[in-house]
């Protein structure tokens, strides 16, 4: 058997003939390894089995034998030697086969080249033969082709004449049938055919008959109500050449036939539509397009659409929605909800219906763009517009803000619908939408919302809404200040008459609006809530409404609310009525802001602070300068308002340079007016502070700087400062704290405190010229001056004021040093106080010493 390993399997020879204990070497060929059943493991096992001596195989289990590896070694050595021989044999055979393959490939390549050359020669021969034949027959072929073309053209012309003759014959037969017998049997037979071509031809012939009737039977076109008015005839009986005939109204018959044909086509179109037979719909639409431009079939398709049938019932439903949603829509401080649910549902359905029907329209109508345009027009004008009007009417019943927010949400949602339809492509899907359909969508969108933005109606609504909200928010503020100004007692109060009139007009307009019968209950509740009033407060008179001091103060939070409402109105204006009217609308909102926040709110508070400051100038008690705390709010609100104007409003008016300049001018005037009022308040405060410090200094006792030593006591040494000094220190410290609260750390604060410091220093310099100072009193003077300097050094003053403090220190020293020290001090370099004063300026202070009459002091005075 091929692949079998041949081993020595004969019995062990006798001792007489052979003494070898090793088996015979295995023999095998290449066929063993090429066999499909060859397994390496089996091959090794067979080699191992052949190497084990037979006596070891037959040994019993109880006979232990030592393992002898030599048979295995010899067997595997012979196997490896044999495998090496086979490998060499295999390599030689592989080399022989490779050489034979290379020779065969070379021979094949040579054969392919030879055959290619023969093929090229054959092709060249064929082309030469074909060219020679064409050269001989070219003229004959051209003449024959021209003759064939001419014959074809003549045949086509004859065919057209034949068809025209057949049509004329059929047309004449139909006319004779109408005029003589008053029948249309042939046209009726053609109408009953189901093919589209027959119906098209039937309609064409009927219209031609109508033209013939107009020319050959003009009397039928002069009839009234279907009754003829024959000439030389009685009861419809005519007479020509002595022969009587029955006259028939050809016009009426043809028009009735056309009407019947149109009804049949419309009915057939509807049947095809219900069976989704788009080819049949297209044939009917083609025929009906020749009747009246397709108006009847388009009307049938649109009017009987299931969308309008279903929505005709839903459109009459009342606008619903929960109370919380409408209340949130009317709340100016809450984020507005999305579009009203029923309108949103309708628009979502419109999107799906238009996308689905556009595919049907394209397959059913050859003039699909016209049909789609009318379908979209019907949807927007009948369904969307009616529902939009109902939603806006409901929103208007809630509040003005609810109306504006609903209009914005609806317009945004419809705009998204238009964009989605354009992106879909409709009849051109998945290609871009055609220009005609895109224009139709834009036109319907404009027609839907343009009525709400005619003229200045929209911006007036925005202004009225903001005015109502601002008036509500500032109602208690205006009530408080109108009561404060009711009885002007000062000249300054009389100057604020115009501001008082503005407050009164705003307050009266707000109260009138609350009492108006056309104000919706929901809006009234919102306005009362914004004003901080209860429902019961609305019935009270303005004199009965309780207000507190806090209601008359400026509030940064209220100002932020006002600016937030304005920002929402500006954003809504840009979205709804943006374009060339934007600068004008923004200018109107700017004017409203400057009046409400600028004049009514900020300037009223500044006027109140100014009046308070003016009333404190001549008070007998310590002046109340707590009004300074309100300046911080005023300055902050002014900054917020100016930032809003410069970053939001004025840039939006850049497209109209005239309006922009007017806006900038108006803003600058308003800001300058408010800044002037702030400056006036600060200047009055400076005057009040200096005046009060002067009064405190004037009230200082003469004995303060000439203390008495009662029974040799030294109680005056325990005094840190005089009572006057402590009073001034306390007042100025409180003034500094209030000023810091009003202006924080700023150049304005530094200028304000520097002005007060200069005034106080001047008062002190004059003050110490008026009091006689003893030796013990000089110590009190230096203590007072040290306290004043300590206070002024704690202020954020202009650096140029620092040397002025040294003057006060020098003056205090003049009262405590002896005559010799005084003389030496005055001889110092640069004169007194580092050269700021001349020596002559120190004479009044030296003269106030108790020992001014002594010889030593007199010598100093003579030197001065």
């Amino acid at each position: 058997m091929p692949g079998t390993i041949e081993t020595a399997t004969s019995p062990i020879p006798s001792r007489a003939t052979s003494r070898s204990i090793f088996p015979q070497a295995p023999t095998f060929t290449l066929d063993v390894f090429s066999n499909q059943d060859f397994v390496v493991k089996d091959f090794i096992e067979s080699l191992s089995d052949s190497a084990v001596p037979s006596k070891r195989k037959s040994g019993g289990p109880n006979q232990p034998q030592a393992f002898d590896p030599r048979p295995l070694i010899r067997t595997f050595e012979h196997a490896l030697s044999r495998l090496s021989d086979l490998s060499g044999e295999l390599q030689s055979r592989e080399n022989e086969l490779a050489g034979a393959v290379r020779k065969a490939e070379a021979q094949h390549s040579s054969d392919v080249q030879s055959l290619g050359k023969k093929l090229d020669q054959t092709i060249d021969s064929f082309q030469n033969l074909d060219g020679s034949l064409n050269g001989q027959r070219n003229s004959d072929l051209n003449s024959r082709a021209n003759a064939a073309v001419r014959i074809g053209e003549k045949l086509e012309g004859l065919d057209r004449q034949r068809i025209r003759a057949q049509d004329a014959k059929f047309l004449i037969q139909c006319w004779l049938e109408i005029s003589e017998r008053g029948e249309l049997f042939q046209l009726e037979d053609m109408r009953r055919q189901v093919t589209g071509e027959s119906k098209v031809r039937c309609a064409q012939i009927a219209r031609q008959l109508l033209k013939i009737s107009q020319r050959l039977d003009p009397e039928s076109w002069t009839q009234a109500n279907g009754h003829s008015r024959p000439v030389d005839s009685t009861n419809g009986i005519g007479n020509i050449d002595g022969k009587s005939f029955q006259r028939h109204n050809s016009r009426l018959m043809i028009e009735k036939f056309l009407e019947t044909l149109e009804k049949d086509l419309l009915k057939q179109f509807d049947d095809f539509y219900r069976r989704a037979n788009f080819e049949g719909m297209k044939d009917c639409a083609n025929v009906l397009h020749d009747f009246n431009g397709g108006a009847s079939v388009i009307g049938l398709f649109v009017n009987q659409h299931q969308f309008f049938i279903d929505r005709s019932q839903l459109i009459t439903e009342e606008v619903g929605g929960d109370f919380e949603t409408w209340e949130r829509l009317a709340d100016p401080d809450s984020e507005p909800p999305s579009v009203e649910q029923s309108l949103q549902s309708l628009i979502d359905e419109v999107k799906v219906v238009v996308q689905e029907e556009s595919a049907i329209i394209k397959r059913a109508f050859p003039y699909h763009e016209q049909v789609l345009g009318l379908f979209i027009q019907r949807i927007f004008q009948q369904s969307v517009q009616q529902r939009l009007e109902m939603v806006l009417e409901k929103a208007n019943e809630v509040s003005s803000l609810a109306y504006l927010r609903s209009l914005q949400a609806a317009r945004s949602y419809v705009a998204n619908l238009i964009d989605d339809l354009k992106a879909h492509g409709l009849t051109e899907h998945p290609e871009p939408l055609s220009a005609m359909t895109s224009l139709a969508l834009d036109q319907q969108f404009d027609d839907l919302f343009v009525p709400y933005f005619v003229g200045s109606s929209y911006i007036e609504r925005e202004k009225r809404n903001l005015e109502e909200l601002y008036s509500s928010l500032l109602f208690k503020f205006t009530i408080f200040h109108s009561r404060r100004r009711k009885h002007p007692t000062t000249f300054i109060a009389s100057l604020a008459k115009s501001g008082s009139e503005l407050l009164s007009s705003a307050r009266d307009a707000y109260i009138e609006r609350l009492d108006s019968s056309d104000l919706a209950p929901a809006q009234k509740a919102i306005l009362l809530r914004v004003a901080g009033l209860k429902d019961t407060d609305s019935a009270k008179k303005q004199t009965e409404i309780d207000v507190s001091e806090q209601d008359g103060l400026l509030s940064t939070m209220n100002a932020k609310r006002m600016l937030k409402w304005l920002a929402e109105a500006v954003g809504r204006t840009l979205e709804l009525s943006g374009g060339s009217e934007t600068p004008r609308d923004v200018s109107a909102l700017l004017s409203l802001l400057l009046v409400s926040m600028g004049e009514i709110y900020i300037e009223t508070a500044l006027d109140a602070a100014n009046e308070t400051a003016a009333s404190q100038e001549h008070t007998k008690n310590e002046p109340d300068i707590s009004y300074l705390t309100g300046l911080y709010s005023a300055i902050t609100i002014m900054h917020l308002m100016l930032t809003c104007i410069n970053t939001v409003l004025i840039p939006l008016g850049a497209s109209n340079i005239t309006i922009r300049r007017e806006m900038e001018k108006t803003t600058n005037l308003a800001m300058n007016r408010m800044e002037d009022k702030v400056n006036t308040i600060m200047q009055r405060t400076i005057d009040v502070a200096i005046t009060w410090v002067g009064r405190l200094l004037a009230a200082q006792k003469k004995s303060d700087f000439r203390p008495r030593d009662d029974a040799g006591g030294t109680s005056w040494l325990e005094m840190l400062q005089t009572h006057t000094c402590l009073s001034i220190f306390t007042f100025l410290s409180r003034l500094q704290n209030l000023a810091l609260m009003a202006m924080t750390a700023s150049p304005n604060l530094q200028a304000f405190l520097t002005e007060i410091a200069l005034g106080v220093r001047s008062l002190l310099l004059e003050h110490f010229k008026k009091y006689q100072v003893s030796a013990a009193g000089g110590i009190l003077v230096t203590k007072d001056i040290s306290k004043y300097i300590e206070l002024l050094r704690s202020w954020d003053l202009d650096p140029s004021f620092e040397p002025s403090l040294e003057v006060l220190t020098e003056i205090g020293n003049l009262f405590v040093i002896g005559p010799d020290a005084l003389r030496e001090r005055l001889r110092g370099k640069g004169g007194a106080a580092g050269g700021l004063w001349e020596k002559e300026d120190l004479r009044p202070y030296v003269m106030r010493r108790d020992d001014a009459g002594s010889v030593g002091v007199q010598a100093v005075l003579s030197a001065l």
Side-chain angles (χ1 to χ4, degrees):
M1 178 179 179
T4 303
I5 303 175
E6 299 176 359
T7 60
T9 59
S10 61
I12 301 175
S14 63
R15 296 179 181 178
T17 59
S18 176
R19 300 289 295 176
S20 175
I21 61 174
F22 298 103
Q24 195 175 22
T27 59
F28 46 83
T29 63
L30 291 175
D31 294 336
V32 174
F33 301 100
S34 62
N35 190 359
Q36 294 181 353
D37 297 332
F38 174 77
V39 179
V40 176
K41 182 178 179 182
D42 296 340
F43 177 73
I44 298 300
E45 288 180 355
S46 65
L47 290 177
S48 301
D49 291 341
S50 65
V52 178
S54 58
K55 63 179 181 179
R56 294 189 60 177
K57 295 180 182 178
S58 60
N62 297 324
Q63 299 177 358
Q65 297 179 357
F67 174 73
D68 188 5
R70 287 177 294 176
L72 292 175
I73 294 173
R74 299 294 184 271
T75 300
F76 283 112
E77 286 178 349
H78 287 296
L80 288 175
S81 177
R82 180 58 181 164
L83 287 174
S84 177
D85 296 339
L86 290 178
S87 177
E89 181 182 351
L90 181 61
Q91 183 67 35
S92 63
R93 291 177 60 183
E94 182 179 355
N95 293 337
E96 291 176 0
L97 292 175
V101 169
R102 285 194 296 271
K103 291 180 182 180
E105 288 178 349
Q107 183 64 35
H108 175 71
S109 177
S110 177
D111 294 343
V112 169
Q113 292 179 358
S114 176
L115 291 175
K117 291 180 180 179
K118 291 181 181 179
L119 179 61
D120 293 338
Q121 292 174 359
T122 303
I123 292 174
D124 292 340
S125 299
F126 177 77
Q127 290 178 349
N128 293 334
L129 178 61
D130 184 64
S132 62
L133 292 175
N134 287 336
Q136 296 175 2
R137 300 176 181 178
N138 189 27
S139 59
D140 296 337
L141 290 175
N142 289 337
S143 60
R144 292 176 183 177
N146 293 333
V149 170
R150 289 193 296 270
I151 292 173
E153 292 176 351
K154 290 181 180 179
L155 289 176
E156 289 178 359
L158 292 175
D159 185 63
R160 286 195 296 270
Q161 292 178 6
R162 180 184 64 82
I163 295 175
R164 190 179 299 111
Q166 290 177 351
D167 291 342
K169 176 183 176 182
F170 185 76
L171 185 63
I172 293 172
Q173 290 175 351
C174 292
W175 172 250
L176 292 176
E177 190 177 34
I178 293 173
S179 60
E180 293 180 359
R181 297 194 299 273
E183 298 173 349
L184 287 171
F185 289 144
Q186 297 187 53
L187 280 180
E188 289 289 346
D189 293 340
M190 186 179 294
R191 181 179 64 83
R192 293 188 182 97
Q193 297 180 12
V194 296
T195 61
E197 295 180 357
S198 62
K199 294 184 182 299
V200 172
R201 187 163 180 262
C202 182
Q204 293 174 349
I205 292 174
R207 288 197 302 275
Q208 291 175 354
L209 288 174
L210 198 63
K211 294 179 181 179
I212 294 174
S213 171
Q214 190 174 6
R215 296 184 62 182
L216 300 183
D217 189 14
E219 294 183 1
S220 64
W221 292 77
T222 59
Q223 294 176 359
N225 299 325
H227 299 287
S228 62
R229 293 177 296 178
V231 180
D232 296 331
S233 64
T234 304
N235 296 328
I237 304 299
N239 191 315
I240 299 178
D241 296 333
K243 298 180 180 181
S244 61
F245 64 91
Q246 180 70 31
R247 184 181 300 278
H248 302 282
N249 192 328
S250 59
R251 174 191 176 186
L252 183 60
M253 294 179 62
I254 297 171
E255 287 180 346
K256 287 183 178 180
F257 175 79
L258 288 173
E259 183 178 351
T260 303
L261 177 61
E262 183 178 8
K263 290 180 179 180
D264 291 345
L265 289 172
L266 290 175
K267 183 177 182 301
Q268 189 174 6
F269 178 87
D270 188 56
D271 294 339
F272 287 148
Y273 177 64
R274 299 182 186 280
R275 296 197 300 267
N277 186 347
F278 301 112
E279 292 299 327
M281 293 172 64
K282 195 168 187 177
D283 292 338
C284 294
N286 266 325
V287 177
L288 291 168
H289 185 266
D290 295 333
F291 276 89
N292 49 13
S296 57
V297 67
I298 296 175
L300 174 68
F301 176 79
V302 173
N303 294 334
Q304 295 186 2
H305 197 279
Q306 192 64 32
F307 173 80
F308 300 106
I309 297 175
D310 296 340
R311 281 289 171 179
S312 62
Q313 300 175 356
L314 298 178
I315 202 67
T316 58
E317 294 182 358
E318 293 294 332
V319 178
D322 56 318
F323 175 77
E324 182 181 354
T325 301
W326 288 108
E327 185 178 13
R328 192 165 76 252
L329 191 65
D331 186 0
D333 295 319
S334 65
E335 291 297 327
S338 59
V339 67
E340 195 270 335
Q341 291 297 323
S342 63
L343 181 59
Q344 180 180 358
S345 174
L346 172 62
I347 295 175
D348 292 341
E349 185 177 356
V350 166
K351 176 182 176 180
V352 175
V353 169
V354 172
Q355 290 179 355
E356 292 178 351
E357 290 301 317
S358 60
I360 298 176
I361 290 173
K362 184 176 183 179
R363 298 177 62 183
F365 292 92
Y367 38 94
H368 53 80
E369 288 189 349
Q370 178 184 357
V371 179
L372 181 60
L374 292 174
F375 183 68
I376 293 174
Q377 179 181 0
R378 176 71 179 277
I379 286 180
F380 274 87
Q381 293 183 357
Q382 177 173 324
S383 300
V384 179
Q385 182 176 355
Q386 292 182 11
R387 196 62 188 177
L388 176 63
E389 291 175 353
M390 295 177 66
V391 170
L392 293 180
E393 183 179 356
K394 172 66 175 179
N396 194 38
E397 294 176 356
V398 176
S399 72
S400 299
L401 181 59
Y403 174 88
L404 294 171
R405 285 179 168 180
S406 299
L407 180 61
Q408 179 188 14
R411 188 179 186 277
S412 176
Y413 208 77
V414 175
N416 291 335
L417 168 66
I418 299 297
D419 293 338
D420 292 341
L421 294 180
K422 289 181 178 180
H424 180 268
L426 300 182
T427 55
E428 309 301 325
H429 180 76
E431 299 297 326
L433 190 65
S434 65
M436 179 177 177
T437 308
S438 178
L439 183 62
L441 288 172
D442 293 337
Q443 184 64 40
Q444 294 306 315
F445 180 75
D446 292 339
D447 293 344
L448 189 62
F449 290 101
V450 162
Y452 300 102
F453 307 104
V454 175
S456 59
S457 58
Y458 169 75
I459 195 61
E460 290 299 327
R461 274 185 173 271
E462 286 285 4
K463 288 178 60 180
R464 185 166 61 252
N465 172 62
L466 286 176
E467 287 174 353
E468 291 174 353
L469 292 177
Y470 288 170
S471 299
S472 298
L473 185 62
L474 304 180
F475 180 66
K476 285 190 174 181
F477 179 85
T478 55
I479 289 291
F480 176 85
H481 286 281
S482 62
R483 293 177 182 176
R484 180 184 58 81
R485 291 179 171 181
K486 189 172 183 181
H487 303 288
T489 56
T490 63
F491 176 71
I492 298 300
S494 64
L495 292 179
K497 184 178 180 181
S498 59
S500 179
E501 292 175 352
L502 183 61
L503 282 178
S504 300
S505 61
R507 183 190 65 250
D508 295 342
Y510 176 74
I511 295 176
E512 182 180 356
R513 178 62 175 163
L514 287 179
D515 296 338
S516 177
S517 59
D518 59 348
L519 184 65
Q523 184 173 2
K524 183 176 182 180
I526 290 293
L527 294 179
L528 290 174
R529 188 176 67 186
V530 172
L533 301 175
K534 300 179 181 179
D535 293 340
T536 55
D537 295 336
S538 61
K540 297 181 180 179
K541 296 181 180 179
Q542 54 176 318
T543 55
E544 300 175 355
I545 297 177
D546 296 331
V547 292
S548 62
E549 290 286 339
Q550 192 66 27
D551 295 327
L553 300 179
L554 293 177
S555 170
T556 306
M557 294 303 300
N558 286 345
K560 290 181 178 180
R561 291 175 69 186
M562 296 173 72
L563 293 178
K564 178 185 176 182
W565 299 340
L566 178 72
E568 179 183 345
V570 172
R572 189 163 47 239
T573 301
L574 290 178
E575 181 179 348
L576 298 182
S577 64
S580 59
E581 298 298 325
T582 298
R584 180 179 58 83
D585 296 343
V586 172
S587 178
L589 295 178
L590 172 63
S591 300
L592 175 62
L593 178 66
L594 292 177
V595 170
S596 299
M597 181 177 286
E599 296 184 26
I600 297 179
Y601 199 42
I602 300 177
E603 292 191 32
T604 299
L606 293 177
D607 289 340
N610 201 356
E611 293 176 13
T612 303
S615 65
Q616 299 301 316
E617 289 184 359
H618 305 289
T619 181
K620 295 181 180 180
N621 300 321
E622 181 177 340
D624 181 12
I625 53 176
S626 59
Y627 58 84
L628 286 178
T629 57
L631 283 184
Y632 176 77
S633 298
I635 295 173
T636 302
I637 295 173
M638 287 169 58
H639 176 71
L640 291 175
M641 183 176 68
L642 184 61
T643 302
C644 176
I645 292 173
N646 290 333
T647 58
V648 178
L649 299 181
I650 292 181
L652 293 176
S655 58
N656 190 318
I657 190 63
T658 303
I659 294 180
R660 178 188 174 92
R661 289 177 178 174
E662 187 64 27
M663 293 171 64
E664 292 176 345
K665 179 181 177 181
T666 305
T667 302
N668 291 334
L669 289 175
M671 295 306 298
N672 290 337
R673 187 170 59 249
M674 286 183 277
E675 289 175 357
D676 290 342
K677 291 186 177 183
V678 173
N679 293 335
T680 302
I681 294 172
M682 302 309 296
Q683 188 59 51
R684 289 187 183 279
T685 304
I686 293 173
D687 296 340
V688 168
I690 293 176
T691 301
W692 181 248
V693 170
R695 289 188 179 183
L696 291 177
L697 291 175
Q700 186 154 27
K701 299 178 180 179
K702 294 183 178 181
S703 60
D704 286 346
F705 299 133
R706 300 183 69 184
R708 297 178 181 180
D709 295 337
D710 298 333
T714 58
S715 60
W716 56 273
L717 289 175
E718 298 177 0
M719 295 178 59
L720 298 178
Q721 289 87 24
T722 62
H723 177 73
T724 300
C725 177
L726 293 177
S727 299
I728 294 175
F729 182 88
T730 303
F731 172 73
L732 292 180
S733 297
R734 188 162 60 88
L735 174 62
Q736 180 209 9
N737 293 333
L738 293 174
L740 189 61
M741 293 173 57
M743 292 175 281
T744 66
S746 63
N748 292 331
L749 176 62
Q750 186 181 72
F752 173 75
L753 294 178
T754 302
E755 286 291 329
I756 294 177
L758 289 173
V760 171
R761 191 202 65 168
S762 300
L763 291 175
L764 291 175
L765 291 177
E766 293 297 325
H767 176 69
F768 291 113
K769 293 180 181 180
K770 303 175 181 178
Y771 289 85
Q772 196 74 22
V773 180
S774 64
I779 297 176
L780 294 177
V781 170
T782 56
K783 289 183 178 182
D784 283 1
I785 291 178
S786 297
K787 194 66 173 178
Y788 294 138
I789 293 175
E790 176 189 349
L791 173 65
L792 296 180
R793 288 187 187 277
S794 67
W795 290 5
D796 180 19
L797 302 177
D798 191 277
S800 61
F801 182 78
E802 183 66 22
S804 301
L805 298 177
E806 299 298 330
V807 175
L808 293 176
T809 304
E810 290 296 330
I811 291 175
N813 293 332
L814 293 177
F815 295 105
V816 295
I817 60 178
D820 295 336
L822 180 61
R823 182 182 302 106
E824 293 298 327
R825 197 172 193 85
L826 295 179
R827 289 177 182 177
K829 185 177 179 181
L836 292 177
W837 276 23
E838 296 296 333
K839 296 180 180 181
E840 292 291 335
D841 297 331
L842 300 179
R843 175 183 289 273
Y845 303 101
V846 177
M847 293 291 296
R848 305 311 298 177
R849 291 170 57 123
D850 277 352
D851 58 351
S854 65
V855 176
V857 175
Q858 286 296 321
V860 173
L861 292 176
S862 62
L864 294 177

